mmCIF file of all heavy atoms in Angstrom:
data_model
loop_
_atom_site.group_PDB
_atom_site.id
_atom_site.type_symbol
_atom_site.label_atom_id
_atom_site.label_comp_id
_atom_site.label_asym_id
_atom_site.label_seq_id
_atom_site.Cartn_x
_atom_site.Cartn_y
_atom_site.Cartn_z
ATOM 1 N N ASP A 458 -11.577 3.000 8.155
ATOM 2 C CA ASP A 458 -12.122 1.896 7.369
ATOM 3 C C ASP A 458 -11.035 1.193 6.551
ATOM 4 O O ASP A 458 -11.112 1.127 5.325
ATOM 5 C CB ASP A 458 -13.233 2.453 6.452
ATOM 6 C CG ASP A 458 -14.028 1.342 5.764
ATOM 7 O OD1 ASP A 458 -14.041 0.214 6.271
ATOM 8 O OD2 ASP A 458 -14.631 1.625 4.707
ATOM 9 N N HIS A 626 -5.188 5.813 2.107
ATOM 10 C CA HIS A 626 -5.513 7.080 2.751
ATOM 11 C C HIS A 626 -4.308 7.575 3.519
ATOM 12 O O HIS A 626 -4.418 8.204 4.565
ATOM 13 C CB HIS A 626 -6.639 6.879 3.756
ATOM 14 C CG HIS A 626 -8.010 6.874 3.207
ATOM 15 N ND1 HIS A 626 -8.544 7.947 2.523
ATOM 16 C CD2 HIS A 626 -9.001 5.964 3.245
ATOM 17 C CE1 HIS A 626 -9.788 7.673 2.192
ATOM 18 N NE2 HIS A 626 -10.086 6.477 2.604
ATOM 19 N N TYR A 651 -7.946 11.607 8.991
ATOM 20 C CA TYR A 651 -9.129 10.902 8.479
ATOM 21 C C TYR A 651 -10.208 10.938 9.550
ATOM 22 O O TYR A 651 -9.946 10.616 10.717
ATOM 23 C CB TYR A 651 -8.672 9.474 8.183
ATOM 24 C CG TYR A 651 -9.692 8.507 7.630
ATOM 25 C CD1 TYR A 651 -9.786 8.277 6.262
ATOM 26 C CD2 TYR A 651 -10.526 7.787 8.480
ATOM 27 C CE1 TYR A 651 -10.686 7.352 5.754
ATOM 28 C CE2 TYR A 651 -11.433 6.865 7.972
ATOM 29 C CZ TYR A 651 -11.513 6.646 6.614
ATOM 30 O OH TYR A 651 -12.399 5.724 6.111
ATOM 31 N N TRP A 652 -11.414 11.382 9.158
ATOM 32 C CA TRP A 652 -12.570 11.424 10.065
ATOM 33 C C TRP A 652 -12.314 12.252 11.333
ATOM 34 O O TRP A 652 -12.009 13.420 11.236
ATOM 35 C CB TRP A 652 -13.045 10.004 10.389
ATOM 36 C CG TRP A 652 -13.655 9.260 9.217
ATOM 37 C CD1 TRP A 652 -13.910 9.761 7.962
ATOM 38 C CD2 TRP A 652 -14.089 7.900 9.188
ATOM 39 N NE1 TRP A 652 -14.470 8.792 7.168
ATOM 40 C CE2 TRP A 652 -14.597 7.634 7.882
ATOM 41 C CE3 TRP A 652 -14.101 6.854 10.107
ATOM 42 C CZ2 TRP A 652 -15.115 6.388 7.513
ATOM 43 C CZ3 TRP A 652 -14.617 5.614 9.728
ATOM 44 C CH2 TRP A 652 -15.115 5.382 8.454
ATOM 45 N N ASN A 689 -9.223 13.690 4.930
ATOM 46 C CA ASN A 689 -10.338 12.986 4.295
ATOM 47 C C ASN A 689 -11.585 13.013 5.167
ATOM 48 O O ASN A 689 -11.546 12.578 6.326
ATOM 49 C CB ASN A 689 -9.960 11.522 4.049
ATOM 50 C CG ASN A 689 -11.096 10.744 3.383
ATOM 51 O OD1 ASN A 689 -11.336 10.906 2.181
ATOM 52 N ND2 ASN A 689 -11.801 9.932 4.152
ATOM 53 N N GLU A 690 -12.668 13.549 4.611
ATOM 54 C CA GLU A 690 -14.007 13.501 5.234
ATOM 55 C C GLU A 690 -13.980 13.902 6.703
ATOM 56 O O GLU A 690 -14.329 13.109 7.578
ATOM 57 C CB GLU A 690 -14.578 12.088 5.141
ATOM 58 C CG GLU A 690 -15.239 11.814 3.835
ATOM 59 C CD GLU A 690 -15.950 10.468 3.817
ATOM 60 O OE1 GLU A 690 -15.955 9.754 4.838
ATOM 61 O OE2 GLU A 690 -16.492 10.138 2.757
ATOM 62 N N ASN A 747 -16.107 13.551 -1.481
ATOM 63 C CA ASN A 747 -16.611 12.177 -1.601
ATOM 64 C C ASN A 747 -18.131 12.240 -1.585
ATOM 65 O O ASN A 747 -18.706 13.027 -0.836
ATOM 66 C CB ASN A 747 -16.149 11.332 -0.412
ATOM 67 C CG ASN A 747 -14.636 11.310 -0.252
ATOM 68 O OD1 ASN A 747 -13.897 11.661 -1.168
ATOM 69 N ND2 ASN A 747 -14.168 10.895 0.926
ATOM 70 N N TYR A 749 -21.697 9.487 -1.887
ATOM 71 C CA TYR A 749 -22.157 8.097 -2.017
ATOM 72 C C TYR A 749 -23.638 8.011 -2.378
ATOM 73 O O TYR A 749 -24.373 7.196 -1.837
ATOM 74 C CB TYR A 749 -21.822 7.326 -0.735
ATOM 75 C CG TYR A 749 -20.366 6.898 -0.739
ATOM 76 C CD1 TYR A 749 -19.377 7.692 -0.176
ATOM 77 C CD2 TYR A 749 -19.972 5.718 -1.369
ATOM 78 C CE1 TYR A 749 -18.046 7.324 -0.216
ATOM 79 C CE2 TYR A 749 -18.639 5.342 -1.426
ATOM 80 C CZ TYR A 749 -17.674 6.142 -0.843
ATOM 81 O OH TYR A 749 -16.358 5.768 -0.907
ATOM 82 N N TYR A 753 -25.045 5.015 0.238
ATOM 83 C CA TYR A 753 -25.422 5.386 1.603
ATOM 84 C C TYR A 753 -26.666 6.272 1.601
ATOM 85 O O TYR A 753 -27.275 6.478 2.641
ATOM 86 C CB TYR A 753 -24.271 6.118 2.306
ATOM 87 C CG TYR A 753 -23.075 5.226 2.586
ATOM 88 C CD1 TYR A 753 -21.814 5.570 2.128
ATOM 89 C CD2 TYR A 753 -23.220 4.040 3.295
ATOM 90 C CE1 TYR A 753 -20.717 4.759 2.382
ATOM 91 C CE2 TYR A 753 -22.126 3.222 3.549
ATOM 92 C CZ TYR A 753 -20.880 3.585 3.089
ATOM 93 O OH TYR A 753 -19.802 2.775 3.334
ATOM 94 N N GLU A 776 -14.302 10.323 -4.261
ATOM 95 C CA GLU A 776 -14.860 8.975 -4.045
ATOM 96 C C GLU A 776 -16.318 8.944 -4.489
ATOM 97 O O GLU A 776 -17.059 9.887 -4.264
ATOM 98 C CB GLU A 776 -14.867 8.586 -2.553
ATOM 99 C CG GLU A 776 -13.524 8.286 -1.974
ATOM 100 C CD GLU A 776 -13.563 7.969 -0.476
ATOM 101 O OE1 GLU A 776 -14.587 7.452 0.021
ATOM 102 O OE2 GLU A 776 -12.558 8.266 0.186
ATOM 103 N N TRP A 821 -14.344 4.874 -5.630
ATOM 104 C CA TRP A 821 -13.946 4.027 -4.516
ATOM 105 C C TRP A 821 -14.399 2.620 -4.803
ATOM 106 O O TRP A 821 -15.585 2.369 -4.713
ATOM 107 C CB TRP A 821 -14.585 4.563 -3.221
ATOM 108 C CG TRP A 821 -13.955 4.019 -1.990
ATOM 109 C CD1 TRP A 821 -14.504 3.105 -1.131
ATOM 110 C CD2 TRP A 821 -12.666 4.345 -1.472
ATOM 111 N NE1 TRP A 821 -13.622 2.844 -0.111
ATOM 112 C CE2 TRP A 821 -12.493 3.587 -0.297
ATOM 113 C CE3 TRP A 821 -11.626 5.191 -1.903
ATOM 114 C CZ2 TRP A 821 -11.315 3.664 0.464
ATOM 115 C CZ3 TRP A 821 -10.481 5.268 -1.158
ATOM 116 C CH2 TRP A 821 -10.343 4.497 0.028
ATOM 117 N N PHE A 826 -10.953 -4.471 -0.236
ATOM 118 C CA PHE A 826 -9.841 -4.400 0.724
ATOM 119 C C PHE A 826 -10.339 -4.747 2.115
ATOM 120 O O PHE A 826 -11.517 -4.582 2.438
ATOM 121 C CB PHE A 826 -9.197 -3.005 0.715
ATOM 122 C CG PHE A 826 -10.145 -1.895 1.099
ATOM 123 C CD1 PHE A 826 -10.188 -1.401 2.400
ATOM 124 C CD2 PHE A 826 -11.026 -1.359 0.173
ATOM 125 C CE1 PHE A 826 -11.077 -0.387 2.765
ATOM 126 C CE2 PHE A 826 -11.922 -0.349 0.528
ATOM 127 C CZ PHE A 826 -11.950 0.135 1.821
ATOM 128 N N ARG A 831 -16.327 -4.141 8.397
ATOM 129 C CA ARG A 831 -17.212 -4.750 7.388
ATOM 130 C C ARG A 831 -17.466 -6.196 7.760
ATOM 131 O O ARG A 831 -16.752 -7.104 7.331
ATOM 132 C CB ARG A 831 -16.553 -4.631 6.012
ATOM 133 C CG ARG A 831 -16.122 -3.209 5.679
ATOM 134 C CD ARG A 831 -17.301 -2.278 5.555
ATOM 135 N NE ARG A 831 -16.888 -0.887 5.371
ATOM 136 C CZ ARG A 831 -17.733 0.104 5.108
ATOM 137 N NH1 ARG A 831 -19.037 -0.138 5.012
ATOM 138 N NH2 ARG A 831 -17.301 1.333 4.968
ATOM 139 N N ASN A 841 -14.220 -4.594 2.682
ATOM 140 C CA ASN A 841 -15.027 -3.559 2.062
ATOM 141 C C ASN A 841 -15.167 -3.997 0.596
ATOM 142 O O ASN A 841 -14.163 -4.158 -0.110
ATOM 143 C CB ASN A 841 -14.318 -2.208 2.181
ATOM 144 C CG ASN A 841 -15.140 -1.059 1.613
ATOM 145 O OD1 ASN A 841 -15.706 -1.182 0.529
ATOM 146 N ND2 ASN A 841 -15.178 0.050 2.321
ATOM 147 N N LYS A 843 -16.402 -2.570 -2.082
ATOM 148 C CA LYS A 843 -16.662 -1.568 -3.122
ATOM 149 C C LYS A 843 -15.658 -1.652 -4.278
ATOM 150 O O LYS A 843 -15.660 -0.804 -5.177
ATOM 151 C CB LYS A 843 -16.665 -0.157 -2.518
ATOM 152 C CG LYS A 843 -17.813 0.040 -1.519
ATOM 153 C CD LYS A 843 -18.019 1.454 -1.080
ATOM 154 C CE LYS A 843 -19.053 1.551 0.015
ATOM 155 N NZ LYS A 843 -18.593 1.014 1.321
HETATM 156 C C1 LIG B 1090 -15.436 6.927 2.649
HETATM 157 C C2 LIG B 1090 -14.055 6.845 3.150
HETATM 158 C C3 LIG B 1090 -13.401 5.535 2.791
HETATM 159 C C4 LIG B 1090 -14.382 4.394 3.047
HETATM 160 C C5 LIG B 1090 -15.570 4.589 2.147
HETATM 161 C C6 LIG B 1090 -16.665 3.527 2.351
HETATM 162 O O1 LIG B 1090 -15.984 7.973 2.472
HETATM 163 O O2 LIG B 1090 -13.262 7.924 2.743
HETATM 164 O O3 LIG B 1090 -12.247 5.375 3.536
HETATM 165 O O4 LIG B 1090 -13.797 3.151 2.874
HETATM 166 O O5 LIG B 1090 -16.154 5.832 2.398
HETATM 167 O O6 LIG B 1090 -16.566 2.473 1.778
HETATM 168 O O7 LIG B 1090 -17.604 3.808 3.091
#
Side-chain angles (χ1 to χ4, degrees):
D458 190 23
H626 278 301
Y651 180 96
W652 292 355
N689 180 75
E690 276 187 2
N747 303 344
Y749 280 92
Y753 292 125
E776 288 177 29
W821 196 252
F826 61 97
R831 308 295 174 173
N841 183 315
K843 295 190 187 71

